[in-house]
Amino acid sequence: MKLTATAMGLVLAATAATAEDKIVVEFGYPYSHLFDVTYEKILPKFYEQHPNIEIKMRATYESYEDGTNTILREAVAGTLPDVTMQGLNRQAILVEKGIAKSLEPFIAKEADFAKDGYHKAMLDLGTFGDDVYGLPFSISLPVGYYNMEVMAKAGYDETNLPTTWSEVVEACGKLREAGVDNPMFWGWNITGNWFLQALMWSQDKPTVEGNDFQLDTPEGLTALNTMKDIFSGCEMQNLEWKAALASFSAGDLGMMYWSTSAVGAVERAMGDFTLVTSEYPGLDEKGPMGLPAGGNSALMVSTSEDPAELEAAWAWLKFITSGEGAADVARTTGYMPPNQAANEIILKDFYADNPAKATAVRQLPLLREWQAYPGDNGLAATQVIYDGLEGIVTGEYSDMTELQEELTEEVQDLLK
């Protein structure tokens, strides 16, 4: 990870203790393009309070799936880090396999833990049984991104942006008539089949109930048909997700539907245009009935038995998910910090001054679970669905009833 000169100076100034006095905490996290700048902000503040601890950054995970696979491999090889960031929907498998440690012994030693910003609704995201295993670090929801100069070519301004998927398709047609070659990108390929779950939760329908994959329902067919309508109606290019973000930042796309997590990255990379974010469209004028909570959580996976090393790992885990550490998530990305102190106190005026990052906050009442596919084949099920959705984009699948049956059979076999 690269630090700015200022940050590096602060780090060096705050770490006067000799190397042999330091406790090293190894840390793994995903999405360097989103979070490197976040940790550049957090590290100097942490070192100021903990000069005897050194945070050693592991190579970043390419995605949440890559992060989970990496931890599963490292558990077998005996090379686990001390703390890892995992997608909210990937915590359960690490708990079930005994890789993640309960945080209850550490929480029990904290005075007034809830007053530091945590509250039950947020702790529940990382609670399994009666124990907290993960502290949420960042929360995201899907939103619409709009290049207002491009949208203006088709007669759109902030007052008449699309609110339904049929209106999105209509806008694509108008933009093409106005000479826009690639009007829209819809993030079907975002991690964890997140946008499929967004269409399911939009109908207030979970994607998984127990061990049953719910794509074989009327809501599942509606989700697939909606995707087909969007992809074909907008003649959407099958862009790799990083290429899609780069294309929007360069000013080539009029509309992009993606996680709010990328707002900070887009703002840092965007060309000379006006960025507006708006609520995620719905299937009808009533809007979505729910949306899946994206984001990640910090888990302790250290194999150390040294109390001092475990306490150091806890100090880092607690710092990045509480108060000031969590606030830096919002300042540097588009994620919302799942911490009451960060949102209500430290960031009191932040969202008023950063409206592009405020859209997801307005959608918080829609927040639903980002579901994982249960069992050891959960990651394989994710890939099967990914391949099926890509087949809609490329035109390989045109009969959504047939695709519904095929995906249901394959995924249900994996879940058994």
Side-chain angles (χ1 to χ4, degrees):
M1 185 186 71
K2 295 180 180 178
L3 293 176
T4 63
T6 302
M8 183 62 77
L10 286 170
V11 170
L12 292 173
T15 55
T18 59
E20 55 266 27
D21 293 331
K22 289 183 180 296
I23 298 174
V24 176
V25 173
E26 297 203 8
F27 177 57
Y29 66 95
Y31 300 125
S32 60
H33 70 290
L34 296 181
F35 288 116
D36 279 1
V37 66
T38 305
Y39 293 115
E40 286 178 12
K41 294 281 188 184
I42 291 176
L43 270 173
K45 298 173 185 177
F46 177 77
Y47 285 149
E48 202 171 307
Q49 295 185 26
H50 302 278
N52 64 318
I53 300 174
E54 177 186 344
I55 305 303
K56 181 179 179 181
M57 302 293 191
R58 292 273 184 100
T60 52
Y61 312 134
E62 181 71 17
S63 65
Y64 290 139
E65 284 79 15
D66 177 45
T68 304
N69 274 321
T70 298
I71 290 296
L72 292 173
R73 288 195 303 270
E74 290 173 343
V76 174
T79 57
L80 285 166
D82 297 297
V83 179
T84 180
M85 286 293 184
Q86 294 288 316
L88 292 175
N89 66 330
R90 299 298 179 194
Q91 298 177 87
I93 189 171
L94 301 187
V95 174
E96 291 165 2
K97 290 185 175 296
I99 298 171
K101 290 181 177 293
S102 170
L103 300 178
E104 292 296 333
F106 303 97
I107 293 172
K109 296 177 185 177
E110 297 288 332
D112 300 322
F113 187 70
K115 290 182 181 178
D116 202 29
Y118 302 101
H119 48 80
K120 186 176 183 301
M122 296 306 176
L123 291 180
D124 281 351
L125 294 171
T127 299
F128 300 86
D130 295 326
D131 283 12
V132 173
Y133 284 85
L135 291 183
F137 176 64
S138 58
I139 297 289
S140 64
L141 285 168
V143 298
Y145 291 67
Y146 300 93
N147 179 324
M148 296 313 298
E149 280 70 23
V150 173
M151 297 302 290
K153 295 178 180 180
Y156 289 92
D157 58 33
E158 292 188 44
T159 68
N160 64 346
L161 293 172
T163 59
T164 68
W165 295 116
S166 60
E167 289 178 0
V168 169
V169 173
E170 180 183 349
C172 285
K174 292 179 179 180
L175 287 166
R176 284 197 176 279
E177 290 175 3
V180 179
D181 292 333
N182 192 18
M184 190 276 304
F185 181 78
W186 190 86
W188 71 270
N189 49 6
I190 204 166
T191 184
N193 310 142
W194 200 46
F195 268 28
L196 170 64
Q197 295 197 24
L199 287 177
M200 294 292 283
W201 278 126
S202 288
Q203 304 169 77
D204 205 26
K205 182 69 174 177
T207 306
V208 179
E209 291 185 351
N211 286 335
D212 293 329
F213 186 45
Q214 295 296 298
L215 196 70
D216 61 347
T217 59
E219 292 89 349
L221 186 58
T222 295
L224 293 176
N225 278 320
T226 300
M227 277 187 256
K228 180 187 175 185
D229 292 344
I230 294 170
F231 300 155
S232 61
C234 289
E235 301 177 43
M236 193 186 85
Q237 295 179 16
N238 186 24
L239 297 175
E240 189 267 338
W241 66 269
K242 287 184 180 178
L245 290 178
S247 184
F248 183 83
S249 297
D252 298 332
L253 288 163
M255 303 179 288
M256 179 175 71
Y257 298 96
W258 195 256
S259 165
T260 187
S261 62
V263 172
V266 169
E267 288 178 334
R268 289 188 291 273
M270 62 187 278
D272 187 17
F273 65 85
T274 304
L275 169 67
V276 166
T277 65
S278 190
E279 280 75 1
Y280 198 67
L283 296 169
D284 56 36
E285 63 280 357
K286 296 178 183 177
M289 298 173 72
L291 291 171
N296 55 51
S297 193
L299 295 92
M300 189 182 298
V301 293
S302 176
T303 57
S304 174
E305 296 182 2
D306 184 337
E309 293 179 358
L310 294 174
E311 286 295 335
W314 167 246
W316 172 245
L317 192 156
K318 184 179 69 168
F319 188 87
I320 60 180
T321 59
S322 63
E324 189 63 37
D328 279 331
V329 176
R331 294 181 182 123
T332 56
T333 68
Y335 283 106
M336 298 168 286
N339 181 284
Q340 189 172 328
N343 273 316
E344 296 179 6
I345 302 172
I346 300 171
L347 299 175
K348 184 177 180 181
D349 300 318
F350 175 79
Y351 289 114
D353 297 333
N354 294 270
K357 295 179 179 178
T359 299
V361 178
R362 295 195 299 270
Q363 295 184 146
L364 276 174
L366 300 176
L367 196 117
R368 300 289 190 275
E369 179 188 359
W370 183 14
Q371 295 185 293
Y373 308 108
D376 290 344
N377 293 323
L379 289 169
T382 302
Q383 187 62 48
V384 167
I385 297 165
Y386 180 102
D387 293 341
L389 301 187
E390 185 169 31
I392 306 175
V393 182
T394 61
E396 178 184 353
Y397 297 111
S398 57
D399 186 331
M400 293 301 99
T401 301
E402 182 179 327
L403 178 60
Q404 179 189 39
E405 293 172 355
E406 182 178 322
L407 285 178
T408 297
E409 181 178 356
E410 288 189 47
V411 172
Q412 199 63 62
D413 282 347
L414 287 169
L415 299 190
K416 288 178 182 178

